[in-house]
């Protein structure tokens, strides 16, 4: 080594020497970048480079997560557990809404059906023998008509809960936490189209059930052989209808979210949902089925042991059926009913939230909604006015 090549550690090169790799002449080292040295430009050539500073240009940063969801297309695990996170993040508003819906449906059923049954049984007990058949048939028909009232109440309540959870997931993704009243007021603005969509789905289900029941009734009236044929046709038709319902239900699953967040009508929402689920049918269907399975298993694990324990205790206390175990039976029934209400509220909230999470994920994948949400959060945090990030894309954006 010549004297001209010598350089003090960390010092400048000797006058007249040629800057070598890793020198501080300003030229990047081979294979390096202007920011690779971020703290020292005298690292020897070939040595491992220190990581870039967090805010250095070109440095990787995780996608922002201002609230419930990370602002990027969701991984399957995130998609699966986000509805449960939504329930835990704002329980007073979410679980409270589900509980209100379940209680309203239960109260409507009890208030309408129980008095009708009491009235009907009293008439049947006091009826003459020749009037018994016609009275029983009329009672069955009357019960079916009376059941339309709690069904209608349940439809309205379910539509409202769907709207509430769509608003909750959307605002929670932006980092907001709305109160019970604020959620319900926002959902109420779109309750009309939501009710229309829910009524259409319910009507389609009732028509299919009525058609199957009609086939069986006609077969029973015709002959025993016709009844067997009708039952076989109903079973095979039921399988076909189940497959068709799974397909249509998956393709149209985000219609409620579109109605609420994009402020469009039912027809536009149906077309949007059909397009958004393109390419993600099986992923969406699998998520829906898996969450439903998790909820069903959890409900059975909680309810069934208590019901079984109550039955065992009643048998042990009153093995001869004298009525002394009636108290245990009543207590078990009440506890099971309360648990069913609570679990039903949790199930309804999680499934409604899942639909909203799927909608946001699909728009991130198809339309880059994550970029619009990130821009909205940045402008909001900077105190600048922001628009509605969930507004439907323009024709040009939608085409891309």
């Amino acid at each position: 080594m010549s004297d001209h090549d010598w350089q003090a550690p960390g010092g400048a090169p000797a006058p007249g020497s040629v800057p070598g790799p890793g020198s501080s002449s300003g030229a990047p080292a081979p294979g390096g970048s202007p920011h690779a040295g971020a703290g020292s430009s005298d690292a020897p050539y070939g040595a491992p480079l220190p990581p870039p500073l967090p805010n250095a240009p070109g440095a990787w940063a995780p996608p922002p997560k201002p609230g419930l969801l990370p602002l990027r297309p969701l991984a399957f695990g995130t998609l699966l557990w986000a509805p449960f996170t939504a329930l835990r993040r704002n329980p007073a508003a979410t679980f409270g809404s589900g509980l209100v819906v379940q209680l309203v449906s239960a109260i409507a059923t009890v208030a309408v059906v129980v008095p009708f049954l009491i009235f009907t049984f009293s008439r049947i007990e006091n009826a003459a023998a020749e009037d018994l058949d016609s009275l029983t048939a009329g009672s069955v028909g009357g019960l079916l008509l009376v059941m339309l009232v709690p069904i209608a109440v349940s439809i309205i309540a379910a539509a409202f809960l769907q709207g509430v959870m769509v608003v909750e997931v959307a605002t929670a993704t932006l980092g907001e936490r709305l109160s019970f009243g604020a959620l319900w007021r926002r959902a109420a603005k779109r309750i009309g189209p939501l009710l229309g969509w829910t009524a259409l789905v319910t009507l389609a289900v009732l028509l299919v059930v009525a058609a199957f029941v009609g086939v069986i009734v006609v077969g029973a009236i015709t002959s025993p052989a016709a009844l067997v044929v009708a039952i076989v046709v109903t079973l095979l038709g039921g399988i076909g209808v189940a497959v068709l319902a799974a397909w249509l239900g998956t393709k149209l699953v985000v219609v409620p979210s579109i109605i609420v967040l994009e402020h469009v009508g039912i027809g536009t929402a149906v077309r949007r949902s059909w397009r958004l689920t393109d390419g993600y049918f099986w992923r969406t269907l699998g998520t829906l089925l898996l969450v439903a399975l998790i909820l069903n298993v959890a409900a059975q694990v909680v309810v069934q042991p208590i019901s079984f324990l109550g039955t065992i205790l009643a048998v042990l206390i009153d093995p001869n059926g004298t009525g002394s175990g009636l108290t245990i039976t009543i207590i078990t029934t009440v506890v099971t009913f309360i648990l069913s209400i609570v679990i039903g509220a949790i199930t309804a909230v999680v499934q409604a939230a899942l639909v909203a999470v799927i909608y946001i994920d699909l728009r991130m994948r198809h339309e880059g909604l994550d970029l619009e949400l990130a821009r909205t959060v940045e402008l909001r945090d900077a105190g600048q006015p922001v628009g509605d990030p969930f507004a439907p894309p323009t024709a040009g954006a939608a085409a891309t």
Side-chain angles (χ1 to χ4, degrees), residues 91-137:
T94 56
F95 177 70
S97 298
L99 197 58
V100 167
V101 167
Q102 292 295 310
L103 288 175
V104 167
S105 300
I107 291 173
T109 301
V110 172
V112 174
V113 174
V114 171
F116 178 82
L117 292 178
I118 294 175
F119 173 74
T120 300
F121 288 149
S122 64
R123 289 191 61 190
I124 291 177
E125 289 179 356
N126 299 325
E130 60 272 13
D131 299 332
L132 191 59
D133 291 340
S134 60
L135 188 59
T136 302

Side-chain angles (χ1 to χ4, degrees), residues 68-393:
L68 175 66
L69 303 175
L71 301 185
R72 56 167 172 76
L74 305 179
F76 184 75
T78 305
L79 184 66
L80 188 65
W81 294 111
F84 299 93
T85 306
L87 174 64
R88 187 176 67 251
R89 185 179 182 274
N90 193 7
T94 56
F95 177 70
S97 298
L99 197 58
V100 167
V101 167
Q102 292 295 310
L103 288 175
V104 167
S105 300
I107 291 173
T109 301
V110 172
V112 174
V113 174
V114 171
F116 178 82
L117 292 178
I118 294 175
F119 173 74
T120 300
F121 288 149
S122 64
R123 289 191 61 190
I124 291 177
E125 289 179 356
N126 299 325
E130 60 272 13
D131 299 332
L132 191 59
D133 291 340
S134 60
L135 188 59
T136 302
S139 299
V140 172
L143 179 61
L144 294 177
L145 291 177
V146 167
M147 284 298 297
L148 293 177
V149 176
I151 288 175
V153 172
S154 299
I155 291 174
I156 296 173
F160 227 121
L161 180 62
Q162 182 68 73
V164 166
M165 291 311 303
V166 168
V167 174
E168 166 63 21
V169 170
T171 54
T173 300
L174 296 173
E176 302 176 20
R177 193 188 303 267
L178 299 183
S179 65
F180 180 94
L183 284 176
W184 280 66
R185 284 192 295 272
R186 290 198 187 185
K189 298 177 181 179
R190 301 298 297 161
I191 190 60
L194 272 178
L195 284 176
W197 171 248
T198 308
L200 285 176
V201 174
T202 305
L203 179 61
V205 173
L206 292 178
L207 288 177
V208 171
V209 172
F212 284 146
V213 171
V215 169
I216 293 177
V217 169
V218 171
I221 294 175
T222 304
S223 66
L227 177 59
V228 173
V229 172
I231 293 175
V232 172
V233 169
T234 300
L235 291 176
L236 295 177
I239 296 175
V241 168
V243 173
L244 179 63
W247 178 59
L248 290 176
T250 304
K251 294 294 293 182
L252 303 177
V253 67
V254 295
V255 167
S257 300
I258 296 171
I259 288 175
V260 173
L261 295 180
E262 300 185 14
H263 303 279
V264 297
I266 295 175
T268 302
V270 167
R271 292 189 294 271
R272 288 270 294 147
S273 178
W274 200 275
R275 189 187 68 80
L276 285 175
T277 50
D278 283 346
Y280 298 98
F281 174 85
W282 292 110
R283 187 173 190 266
T284 303
L285 177 61
T287 305
L288 293 170
L289 292 178
L290 189 54
V291 170
L293 178 63
I294 292 171
L295 292 171
N296 184 65
V297 171
Q300 296 302 318
V301 167
V302 173
V303 174
Q304 291 303 321
I306 295 177
S307 179
F308 179 74
L309 180 62
T311 302
I312 295 298
L313 289 177
V315 171
L316 292 177
I317 294 174
D318 185 17
N320 298 321
T322 59
S324 58
L326 181 60
T327 302
I328 297 296
T329 302
I330 293 175
I331 293 176
T332 303
T333 303
V334 171
V335 171
T336 303
F337 177 75
I338 294 175
L339 281 176
S340 299
I341 293 292
V342 173
I343 293 173
I346 295 173
T347 300
V349 167
V350 170
Q351 289 180 329
L354 177 62
V355 171
V357 173
I358 290 174
Y359 162 78
I360 293 176
D361 177 59
L362 290 175
R363 283 199 63 181
M364 286 179 179
R365 295 177 181 276
H366 278 284
E367 301 168 353
L369 179 64
D370 49 332
L371 304 178
E372 183 63 29
L373 294 177
R375 176 177 173 273
T376 299
V377 172
E378 290 177 0
L379 292 177
R380 181 196 63 192
D381 293 345
Q384 300 182 24
V386 296
D388 182 5
F390 296 101

